[in-house]
């Protein structure tokens, strides 16, 4: 029997056994998209965007080592327009997320932010200069540094 998920689901596969179980991670009744997962010392963090409000917004949630929710969903981006394509990386005990926002001018502005594990925003900043547009951002961490890449073109 198959089970359909309307949100982000995590498929856990036991090493060496092939046994698997899935769990729904998001609580969105309208669907969740473009999930990204990163390991943390005590589990994982997952980010996605969904449309439970009146526009796409980015969320993250901490998971324990077995993939069970280890805290509430955290809405981390509430852009004036819409937010898409999150990618997530752990930076110490904090969570780094990149995404792009669709601006009122119709351009896409990649953004980078850092949040504490409790959902508190530490900072956010745009990755592109005014007059440029970009998509498909990714973020990786190494030690105490972040590396971001994205596709960009001028207007």
């Amino acid at each position: 029997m198959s089970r359909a998920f309307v949100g982000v689901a995590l498929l856990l596969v036991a090493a060496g056994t092939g046994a698997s179980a899935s769990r729904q991670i998001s609580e969105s009744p309208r669907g969740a998209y473009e999930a990204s997962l990163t390991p943390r010392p005590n589990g994982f963090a997952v980010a996605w965007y969904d449309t439970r409000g009146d526009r796409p917004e980015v969320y993250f949630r901490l998971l324990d080592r077995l993939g069970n929710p280890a805290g509430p969903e955290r809405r981390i981006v509430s852009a004036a327009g819409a937010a898409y394509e999150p990618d997530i990386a752990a930076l110490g005990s904090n969570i780094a997320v990149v995404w792009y926002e669709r601006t009122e001018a119709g351009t896409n502005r990649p953004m980078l932010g850092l949040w504490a594990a409790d959902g508190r925003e530490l900072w956010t900043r745009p990755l592109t200069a005014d007059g440029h547009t970009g998509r498909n951002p990714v973020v990786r961490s190494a030690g105490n540094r972040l590396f971001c890449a994205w596709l960009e073109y001028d207007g």
Side-chain angles (χ1 to χ4, degrees):
M1 179 163 112
S2 67
R3 181 174 176 195
F5 290 100
V6 295
V8 175
L10 178 67
L11 177 64
L12 303 169
V13 178
T17 67
S20 66
S22 58
R23 295 182 178 85
Q24 184 166 337
I25 302 305
S26 71
E27 297 173 7
S28 174
R30 297 183 61 190
Y33 310 95
E34 299 173 351
S36 177
L37 182 72
T38 191
R40 299 182 73 236
N42 294 322
F44 305 92
V46 62
W48 67 93
Y49 88 84
D50 70 42
T51 58
R52 70 182 78 180
D54 58 351
R55 63 182 181 264
E57 296 177 313
V58 174
Y59 292 78
F60 86 84
R61 188 170 217 173
L62 301 180
L63 309 174
D64 67 17
R65 289 181 180 177
L66 298 176
N68 298 308
E73 295 177 308
R74 307 280 186 187
R75 185 178 72 195
I76 59 170
V77 175
S78 184
Y84 301 96
E85 296 181 358
D87 193 40
I88 192 168
L91 184 67
S93 63
N94 298 322
I95 305 298
V97 180
V98 292
W99 70 96
Y100 78 83
E101 295 178 354
R102 174 101 9 103
T103 68
E104 290 179 11
T107 60
N108 299 323
R109 176 166 264 189
M111 301 289 292
L112 170 64
L114 190 68
W115 282 264
D118 65 5
R120 223 173 357 101
E121 181 181 311
L122 301 174
W123 52 262
T124 60
R125 62 182 47 118
L127 296 174
T128 57
D130 289 340
H132 290 243
T133 190
R135 291 183 66 160
N136 305 102
V138 295
V139 63
R140 299 294 181 265
S141 62
N144 65 352
R145 296 179 182 213
L146 293 173
F147 174 80
C148 299
W150 62 95
L151 302 177
E152 181 176 327
Y153 52 96
D154 59 29

